[in-house]
Amino acid sequence: MPQAARDTIITPRVVQAWKDAGLYGVLLPEHLGGAGIDDVTYLEIAEEIARQDASAGWVYANHQTGTIFPGILLPEEAFRELIGPNGDGIACGSGSPTGPYGKAKRVEGGYLVQTGPRPFGSGSQYADRVVARVALVDDNDIPRLDDKGEPIVVFIWVDRKNVEWQHDWNASGLAGSGSGSYRVIPHVLEEKWMALETVHNFPDDPVFNQGFWQISGLHHSGIGLGLAKRILEEIAKSTHGRRRGTIPALDEYPLFQADFVRIESLYQSARAFVFDAYREVWSATIEGRLTEMHSIRVDQAALYLTRVLEDILSTASLWAGSDVIPKDGIFARLNANARVAMNHLLVGPQQAVHLAPPLLEEWRGHDGV
């Protein structure tokens, strides 16, 4: 989308089109104004949006998954105000539990909050409330400590009018995702917008109870599936009846056909793995049998999908020939978008270190029968 690339953020028209089509709040239960769909149905929607445009898919995913977290952490009154009667309110930003944080001092009317630049603000320009993290401080700006002697750091959600975007990134891929840093301007924030206490708002709704990492993984899995699907579509079109060297038609050439069957199979296997992992998470959450292994399988599926995407991308690029050359061509965009998506921390190869021990233990428990 040329306009989105120039503005470095998808256009308001796209966001409004999603709202008009009923695509906002789809993960929210019906009693909160949402569509009440499950994880797998969400992934099918996210895959299709990312297939059309990866930057748009990235923003949509941030808006949908990001809005679930305040439903877990904020008082119910505040969350209902955020999402509104139609369930289409947006909360997102850099929601990682790590990274830089600001400070919050108790004052009349709430807390005086402010932060320095916080990275990874994709799509937050359209959020009703933008997430940040702050350390609680006393009247002398000295951090308050918990029982372990660590600073007490909490999530907050601030009105976007009190957020300043830094426009400090020139992303090599996902150029229309609005990526970059933002800071919270000093202002007094009502306590209801701060995750100061543990809440149990919606115990009967699996979307809020499936786990932090499972929700985060929905974002990355939807993007990866959409990119993989679009790459397969484009290489199928690129090679159709196309001469290359002495080969009269690439799509009739046995070596290409074998490669295409292989990478199409990889896509199907990764998609099935992701869907099965999330289908099981959803069922286990409803039935009260959610375990660490459910989270492990979701992470493993996302990691596998990322490695599959790498294989699909490199194979398709090899057969695309001169179609990879134009700077503004579809293969250049797909390559740039996929490289950025695959470089995210949650789908990086280092994740295997965390997944391997419980998986090894699981397999050691098999008796061979």
Side-chain angles (χ1 to χ4, degrees):
M1 297 186 178
Q3 185 66 45
R6 287 193 294 270
D7 296 344
T8 69
I9 183 65
I10 64 170
T11 65
R13 182 180 177 184
V14 172
V15 175
Q16 189 59 50
W18 290 336
K19 290 189 175 184
D20 293 343
L23 295 179
Y24 264 72
V26 290
L27 281 167
L28 295 176
E30 293 182 5
H31 69 86
L32 292 176
I37 66 173
D38 62 11
D39 286 345
V40 172
T41 306
Y42 163 79
L43 285 168
E44 291 175 325
I45 296 171
E47 177 186 40
E48 177 57 25
I49 292 175
R51 183 197 68 80
Q52 295 176 29
D53 180 77
S55 290
W58 194 267
V59 172
Y60 178 77
N62 265 358
H63 287 177
Q64 299 309 296
T65 61
T67 304
I68 300 302
F69 294 117
I72 301 171
L73 298 171
L74 286 182
E76 182 175 345
E77 169 202 0
F79 183 63
R80 286 184 179 273
E81 180 181 335
L82 188 160
I83 60 176
N86 298 320
D88 59 1
I90 305 168
C92 71
S94 181
S96 170
T98 60
Y101 52 81
K103 61 181 180 178
K105 181 190 299 185
R106 189 68 145 131
V107 296
E108 183 178 354
Y111 283 79
L112 176 62
V113 298
Q114 60 184 308
T115 73
R118 184 165 173 83
F120 308 111
S122 307
S124 59
Q125 296 89 334
Y126 292 116
D128 299 286
R129 290 270 164 181
V130 181
V131 66
R133 295 171 74 242
V134 292
L136 304 184
V137 299
D138 63 20
D139 291 340
N140 297 314
D141 284 345
I142 297 175
R144 293 166 50 187
L145 305 180
D146 60 19
D147 294 339
K148 297 180 180 179
E150 299 293 332
I152 301 173
V153 181
V154 301
F155 285 103
I156 62 173
W157 279 265
V158 303
D159 192 309
R160 69 180 177 199
K161 70 182 181 183
N162 293 311
V163 175
E164 180 181 84
W165 286 273
Q166 305 296 292
H167 304 292
D168 55 349
W169 286 19
N170 182 17
S172 61
L174 300 174
S177 64
S179 295
S181 305
Y182 60 90
R183 72 180 187 93
V184 174
I185 301 168
H187 70 287
V188 177
L189 181 67
E190 290 181 86
E191 188 173 316
K192 67 180 181 180
W193 298 113
M194 305 177 69
L196 295 173
E197 299 179 359
T198 301
V199 297
H200 301 284
N201 293 330
F202 310 108
D204 298 326
D205 296 315
V207 68
F208 297 112
N209 296 286
Q210 61 186 307
F212 180 91
W213 296 113
Q214 283 84 312
I215 298 169
S216 299
L218 283 172
H219 171 109
H220 299 284
S221 293
I223 299 298
L225 289 171
L227 277 164
K229 188 174 185 179
R230 182 62 180 271
I231 293 167
L232 288 167
E233 290 177 356
E234 294 299 332
I235 193 59
K237 290 186 289 187
S238 172
T239 55
H240 180 57
R242 179 175 181 169
R243 172 180 289 278
R244 189 172 187 191
T246 60
I247 300 170
L250 274 179
D251 59 323
E252 298 176 7
Y253 187 51
L255 286 179
F256 168 75
Q257 291 177 335
D259 259 354
F260 187 80
V261 168
R262 181 179 62 81
I263 60 176
E264 205 273 346
S265 299
L266 287 174
Y267 161 73
Q268 296 293 351
S269 68
R271 192 171 192 262
F273 191 0
V274 169
F275 281 16
D276 284 349
Y278 271 103
R279 192 175 290 113
E280 176 58 18
V281 162
W282 194 263
S283 297
T285 304
I286 292 174
E287 297 167 7
R289 54 179 179 83
L290 195 66
T291 67
E292 179 192 15
M293 187 52 64
H294 290 99
S295 179
I296 292 294
R297 289 301 184 193
V298 163
D299 290 346
Q300 183 187 13
L303 183 59
Y304 175 66
L305 170 59
T306 305
R307 301 286 79 79
V308 162
L309 178 59
E310 165 71 27
D311 198 343
I312 292 173
L313 178 65
S314 60
T315 302
S317 297
L318 178 66
W319 287 106
S322 58
D323 279 354
V324 304
I325 296 174
K327 186 177 181 180
D328 58 350
I330 183 61
F331 281 98
R333 294 201 304 274
L334 287 170
N335 184 73
N337 291 336
R339 294 297 173 191
V340 171
M342 291 187 296
N343 201 46
H344 195 280
L345 178 66
L346 289 184
V347 291
Q350 81 288 336
Q351 289 298 92
V353 175
H354 307 294
L355 303 179
L359 289 175
L360 286 167
E361 186 65 28
E362 177 87 354
W363 280 97
R364 290 189 192 106
H366 287 270
D367 58 10
V369 177

